[in-house]
């Protein structure tokens, strides 16, 4: 069947749509994300809506976030990430240098525009900064300039921070040309725009506490939950 899709101009507009009629927009988002995860439509046509569902999950519920550790090359994973999420406040920010982000604990921060470099959202719990990259793709290199900016700003506002974790959030059952993208997902390299090698012994990279893959729970994507729209 033909699949229709819609894109929104910014996180602010998406948030206003959700506020106006959360149930309808949530249903629409689930349909689009499910189709994109299966490869029925191009992933970029559902990326905005996937971000909406992730934001709702963090700000409208309490849950235990579990994520698989991603390793470099042939390294073996030594554990998984488990973080207790308590229904977070939701705040948008407007500056690419993060000057308008307080980095308060238990707050889910999103940019008010679509193209923030390196990350899609962030939050702080304890002395760890969690950087979230929401994606359908198993290949998502991290741009060094964006990582430097967010770590510098966070450390300035919260000097007690010990480090950061990168969490890649991907829908379950994500597939492309018959490949299981969840199983295929690996540790993502850092890349400089200059193409020069990255010195992992320098800040902020030496403060990385790990990269992890969080497979979005079925409850986010399930469209057969009996909701009437």
């Amino acid at each position: 069947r033909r699949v229709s899709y819609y894109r929104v101009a910014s996180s602010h507009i998406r948030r206003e749509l959700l506020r106006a009629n959360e149930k309808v927009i949530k249903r629409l988002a689930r349909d689009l994300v499910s189709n994109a995860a299966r490869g029925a439509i191009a992933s970029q046509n559902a990326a905005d809506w996937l971000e909406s569902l992730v934001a709702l999950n963090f700000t409208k519920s309490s849950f235990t976030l579990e994520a698989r550790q991603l390793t470099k090359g042939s390294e073996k994973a030594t554990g998984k990430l488990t973080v207790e999420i308590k229904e977070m406040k939701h705040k948008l920010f407007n500056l690419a240098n993060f000057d308008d982000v307080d980095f308060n604990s238990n707050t889910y921060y999103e940019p008010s525009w679509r193209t923030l470099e390196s990350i899609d959202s962030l939050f702080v719990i304890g002395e760890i900064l969690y950087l979230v990259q929401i994606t359908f793709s198993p290949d998502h290199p991290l741009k060094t300039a964006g990582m430097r900016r967010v770590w510098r700003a966070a450390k300035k506002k919260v000097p007690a921070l010990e480090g950061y974790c990168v969490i890649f959030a991907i829908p379950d059952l994500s597939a492309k040309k018959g490949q299981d993208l969840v199983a295929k997902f690996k540790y993502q390299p850092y890349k400089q725009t200059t193409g020069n090698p990255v010195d992992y012994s320098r800040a902020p990279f030496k403060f990385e506490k790990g990269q992890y893959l969080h497979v979005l729970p079925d409850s986010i994507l399930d469209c057969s939950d009996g909701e009437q729209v």
Side-chain angles (χ1 to χ4, degrees), residues 184-212:
K184 185 180 178 183
F185 211 100
K186 304 295 183 183
Y187 184 95
Q188 300 297 300
Y190 289 90
K191 287 197 172 181
Q192 303 200 82
T193 54
T194 60
N196 293 331
V198 176
D199 185 352
Y200 289 91
S201 67
R202 301 185 64 180
F205 318 110
K206 67 179 182 179
F207 294 107
E208 186 200 89
K209 298 296 185 181
Q211 293 184 15
Y212 298 87

Side-chain angles (χ1 to χ4, degrees), residues 153-171:
K155 191 68 174 173
K156 182 179 179 181
K157 297 282 182 69
V158 189
L161 284 176
E162 295 180 352
Y164 67 90
C165 290
V166 181
I167 300 174
F168 294 92
I170 189 170

